[in-house]
Amino acid sequence: MSFYAGIDGGGTGSRFVCADENGKEIYSGIGPALNGNGLSKDSFIQNIMDIVNSITKNVGSPDDCKGLAIGLAGISNVQIREGFAAAMSEAGFRNYRIYGDHETAFSAAFPEQYGILLISGTGSLCFGKRPDGMSARAGGYGHLIDDKGSAYDISIRILEAVVRAEDGRGENTVFRELVFDRLGIKDIRELIGYIYSKDTNKGDIAALAPLLSEGIKRGDPVAMAIEDAVVEELNSLISAVKKRLGFGSEVALWGSVLQKNDHIREKLEKRAGLKIFFPQEDASVGALRLAMKEV
């Protein structure tokens, strides 16, 4: 039986879905992480193979696959592309295509393939497409120089507030207590040791972002200032895309910051003056739609 497959490759795990020629789902599941920027090439290939082997075992042979699409972060990384091509070749798949994870998320949010998507998770990015196919994006250049309004950005602002309060450059903030409790540390020296440890990665830093909500609940002025700054950053992403496209009356939201922080979401909707909503479909479904669209 001929089929199509869509894969959403995540940093901690992946999801996949297969459908017949009429678009009816016939098989879905979860798989290992597929973040090429955080895995060795061999591990990346092995994880891809685990997923496609599950597909071929439960759905059909590679020859039966009329189209396979995968969404991944960091697709400009040559290692990711080479690893995926190697895995597909070894598995015997010929009809496949790789997309940025923002493209598969966009496809999940907008089956008609036009609209504006704002992502704020560990990183941040806004991507939009008009009905005529013209697209534009803003942000998404990585945590060292960008990712404003993301969980990582929020965490860095929190940590900056802690050290500035420590030496008198900033006002006192509840974040000192919250960060120390979360990390199980007692003083600023331990905090610096944790931040700059080779064992601490971007995801570890970004995991501190939920403390912003607690700071807001306690009425901390520093937390409120951070929240306002984050809303402005996210709004600037939307504004840049909307201006370039000359299009857009609503925005789909994607990512943990927008899902978990009600204050940011509500302020953003008011600031942007646009209708916002959460997509009902998983990004693997978006990848599946792209696979079927290509064919």
Side-chain angles (χ1 to χ4, degrees), residues 106-117 127-135 245 247-252 277 293:
F106 180 87
S107 180
F110 299 102
E112 65 278 15
Q113 303 301 315
Y114 59 85
I116 295 177
L117 173 75
F127 177 77
K129 187 181 291 186
R130 294 193 321 204
D132 64 7
M134 178 182 174
S135 64
L245 293 179
F247 163 83
S249 59
E250 61 179 11
V251 178
F277 70 95
K293 180 175 178 291

Side-chain angles (χ1 to χ4, degrees), residues 120-121 149-151 154 209 230 234 255-261 264-265:
S120 179
S150 68
I154 291 172
V230 168
L234 295 175
S256 58
V257 171
L258 297 167
Q259 290 175 336
K260 297 178 180 179
N261 193 307
I264 287 179
R265 189 172 63 251

Side-chain angles (χ1 to χ4, degrees), residues 158 162 165-166 172-186 191 211 214 218 220:
I158 288 173
V162 172
E166 182 74 15
N172 290 330
T173 172
V174 71
F175 286 131
R176 187 182 194 278
E177 172 194 341
L178 294 176
V179 170
F180 284 16
D181 285 349
R182 174 64 61 88
L183 298 180
I185 59 177
K186 298 179 180 179
L191 176 62
L211 296 180
E214 183 60 31
R218 297 195 187 188
D220 185 65

Side-chain angles (χ1 to χ4, degrees), residues 157-173 188:
R157 292 175 188 268
I158 288 173
L159 293 170
E160 286 177 348
V162 172
V163 297
R164 291 178 68 86
E166 182 74 15
D167 62 19
R169 287 177 294 158
E171 59 184 299
N172 290 330
T173 172
I188 205 74

Side-chain angles (χ1 to χ4, degrees), residues 54-242:
S54 177
I55 291 174
T56 55
K57 179 180 178 181
N58 292 278
V59 183
S61 74
D63 291 335
D64 296 324
C65 183
K66 299 189 67 174
L68 182 150
I70 183 170
L72 295 169
I75 61 171
S76 58
N77 186 328
V78 175
Q79 176 174 283
I80 292 178
R81 289 185 171 275
E82 290 180 347
F84 184 65
M88 292 296 99
S89 177
E90 182 176 341
F93 283 85
R94 296 185 300 275
N95 301 317
Y96 63 84
R97 186 166 180 180
I98 185 171
Y99 294 88
D101 56 354
H102 64 283
E103 294 178 278
T104 51
F106 180 87
S107 180
F110 299 102
E112 65 278 15
Q113 303 301 315
Y114 59 85
I116 295 177
L117 173 75
L118 176 67
I119 300 174
S120 179
T122 302
S124 62
L125 179 150
C126 188
F127 177 77
K129 187 181 291 186
R130 294 193 321 204
D132 64 7
M134 178 182 174
S135 64
R137 61 170 281 178
Y141 299 108
H143 69 289
L144 292 180
I145 60 174
D146 195 23
D147 281 349
K148 298 302 182 182
S150 68
Y152 183 86
D153 179 43
I154 291 172
S155 298
I156 290 298
R157 292 175 188 268
I158 288 173
L159 293 170
E160 286 177 348
V162 172
V163 297
R164 291 178 68 86
E166 182 74 15
D167 62 19
R169 287 177 294 158
E171 59 184 299
N172 290 330
T173 172
V174 71
F175 286 131
R176 187 182 194 278
E177 172 194 341
L178 294 176
V179 170
F180 284 16
D181 285 349
R182 174 64 61 88
L183 298 180
I185 59 177
K186 298 179 180 179
D187 57 43
I188 205 74
R189 289 177 298 176
E190 287 186 87
L191 176 62
I192 300 306
Y194 173 80
I195 293 171
Y196 291 104
S197 169
K198 63 180 179 61
D199 296 323
T200 302
N201 58 40
K202 179 176 69 173
D204 295 327
I205 299 296
L208 297 173
L211 296 180
L212 178 60
S213 294
E214 183 60 31
I216 294 296
K217 288 179 182 178
R218 297 195 187 188
D220 185 65
V222 173
M224 296 179 189
I226 291 175
E227 182 180 69
D228 288 342
V230 168
V231 169
E232 285 302 313
E233 292 289 358
L234 295 175
N235 182 59
S236 71
L237 292 173
I238 296 171
S239 297
V241 170
K242 185 180 178 183

